[in-house]
């Protein structure tokens, strides 16, 4: 299996190379050269398997010869051992044809753990073998950073630097990043918003001298291995509701488009997904782009679902690459326009292609709170604000015989203020992290300045 860049100008890589490098050297994102097909009988045979066994069968063709079967199976076992639900990604029923896929049973209570725990194990296996060292630099709107720090803390061959927008992440998210005491992890509070954090990380990747000097690696959702890990639960949930014999729909609370793009890969592999619904909060660039055809940044307005407060949605580039018939030059042109003019217009043909796969909707802050309140009253399910955006947008979709599966992307206890405001109840942290607020914090405040950031990273990383 080989991986190509969405901008068509970077070297073609193996799975292991694409995983370790993250962003392609032409600024693009790696995607598989071809998507392997999973025949209907193989999809049907996933029924009744453990999450780990299903994960092995679904991901194996993408990994190529990077790991033996036994190595890869062991990596998957270790990745999900820290989840506190035996099903890993259980389904709850919200209504007659509406299900909630609970993706918050991992160590940091958000779906990011599915990808990050796997990536931690993959990196460790690969770096142990090669003896190489790497420096991971990531931007986070809250959940990626905590999941990355949890996955890489204490690893010998890895230093981790996480940039988060100062004052824009929840207390639980911040504490999950600032309380680990291992000296290979560094939480950096940047004066700016998430898009600033993400832009500085991209700048570092485009500074090739720096990139090579520190062995820069990305575990943001642009990393292909993360997308791959997220393909698995689309299969397991759909199969438990009758796929491949019955089509399903998914609604996905979306920011950087990584999670929902994984759904598209599942669809391309052969899973019968009727529609993938993009759910956004008031930062609705994706919803506007899909309905009007113009991808235009308007600046970020902070919301109660901060992990979706994004205007530059990195992985959307992968969807555009598919929609433009894998024309890397066309994608590069649009990304240049985004950088220089703050937006671009999607061609009619590409827009039509996108609309066949995706639908979209947005939920306001009031609608989000009302959904948390209503779901709690009618089903007892306590939603985090991101999941509530998903449920609201799913409820607004036209009727279909295909069951709707809404992805619950985080645990309510990660966003207790918003949940308490909506329901009057403060969701407690699970027992295993009940002392989070008693632990001491460690972080560094940084300016939104590339040179200063690079200097800090060079000084702090272990040589
Ligand atoms: C990251 C995140 C999202 C958005 O996921 P993308 O893959 O960036 O679209 C939604 N909800 C929560 C809780 C998240 O942490």
């Amino acid at each position: 299996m080989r991986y190509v860049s969405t901008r068509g100008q970077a070297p073609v890589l193996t799975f292991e190379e694409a995983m370790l490098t993250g962003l392609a050297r032409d600024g693009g994102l790696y995607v598989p050269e071809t998507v392997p097909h999973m025949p209907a009988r193989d999809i049907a045979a996933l029924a009744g398997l453990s999450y780990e066994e299903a994960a092995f069968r679904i991901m194996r063709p993408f990994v190529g010869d990077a790991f033996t079967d036994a190595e890869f199976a062991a990596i998957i076992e270790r990745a999900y051992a820290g989840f506190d639900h035996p099903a890993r990604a259980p389904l709850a029923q919200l209504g007659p044809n509406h299900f909630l896929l609970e993706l918050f049973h991992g160590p940091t209570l958000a779906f990011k753990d599915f990808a990050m725990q796997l990536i931690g194990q993959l990196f460790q296996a690969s770096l142990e073998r090669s003896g190489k060292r790497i420096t991971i630099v990531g931007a986070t709107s809250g959940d990626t950073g905590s999941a990355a720090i949890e996955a890489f803390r204490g690893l010998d061959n890895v230093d981790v630097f996480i940039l988060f927008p100062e004052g824009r992440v929840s207390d639980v998210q911040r504490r999950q990043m600032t309380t680990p005491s291992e000296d290979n992890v560094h939480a950096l509070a940047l004066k700016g918003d998430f898009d600033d954090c993400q832009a500085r990380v991209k700048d570092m990747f485009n500074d090739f001298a720096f990139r090579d000097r520190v062995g820069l690696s990305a575990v943001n959702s642009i990393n292909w291995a993360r997308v791959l890990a997220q393909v698995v639960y689309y299969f397991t949930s759909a199969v438990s509701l009758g796929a491949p014999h019955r089509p399903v729909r998914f609604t996905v609370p979306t920011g950087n488009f990584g999670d929902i793009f994984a759904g598209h890969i599942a669809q391309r592999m052969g899973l019968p997904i009727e529609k993938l619904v993009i759910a956004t909060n008031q930062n609705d660039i994706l919803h506007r782009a899909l309905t009007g055809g113009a991808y235009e940044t308007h600046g970020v307005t902070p919301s109660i679902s901060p992990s979706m407060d994004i205007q530059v949605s990195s992985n959307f580039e992968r969807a555009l690459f598919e929609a433009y018939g894998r024309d890397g030059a066309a994608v590069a042109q649009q990304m240049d326009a985004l950088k220089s003019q703050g937006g671009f217009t999607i061609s009619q043909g590409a827009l039509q292609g996108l609309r066949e796969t995706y639908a979209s909707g947005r939920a306001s802050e009031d609608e989000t709170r009302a959904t948390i309140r209503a779901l709690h009253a009618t089903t007892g399910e306590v939603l985090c604000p991101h999941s509530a955006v998903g449920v609201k947008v799913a409820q607004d979709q036209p009727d279909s015989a295909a069951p709707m599966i809404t992805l619950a992307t985080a645990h309510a206890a990660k966003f207790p203020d918003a949940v308490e405001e909506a329901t009057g109840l403060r969701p407690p942290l699970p027992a295993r992290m009940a002392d989070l607020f008693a632990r001491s914090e460690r972080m560094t405040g940084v300016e939104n300045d590339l040179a200063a950031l690079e200097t800090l990273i060079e000084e702090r990383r272990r040589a």
Side-chain angles (χ1 to χ4, degrees), residues 111-112 143 253-259 307-308 386 409-410:
F111 82 92
K112 304 283 197 310
D143 294 326
T254 302
N256 248 331
F257 214 81
D259 206 6
S307 301
M308 296 154 66
H386 310 77
T409 49

Side-chain angles (χ1 to χ4, degrees), residues 135-165:
T135 304
I136 289 173
V137 181
T140 187
S141 52
D143 294 326
T144 295
S146 44
I149 286 175
E150 187 62 39
F152 290 98
R153 61 193 285 187
L155 293 194
D156 287 338
N157 298 0
V158 182
D159 291 291
V160 187
F161 294 84
I162 298 295
L163 274 63
F164 67 90

Side-chain angles (χ1 to χ4, degrees), residues 323-334:
Y324 277 95
R326 307 205 129 209
D327 179 351
V331 172
Q333 210 171 38
Q334 305 237 288

Side-chain angles (χ1 to χ4, degrees), residues 321-341:
F321 183 64
E322 300 301 335
Y324 277 95
R326 307 205 129 209
D327 179 351
V331 172
Q333 210 171 38
Q334 305 237 288
M335 292 300 135
D336 286 345
L338 178 62
K339 199 158 187 184
S340 60
Q341 294 147 40

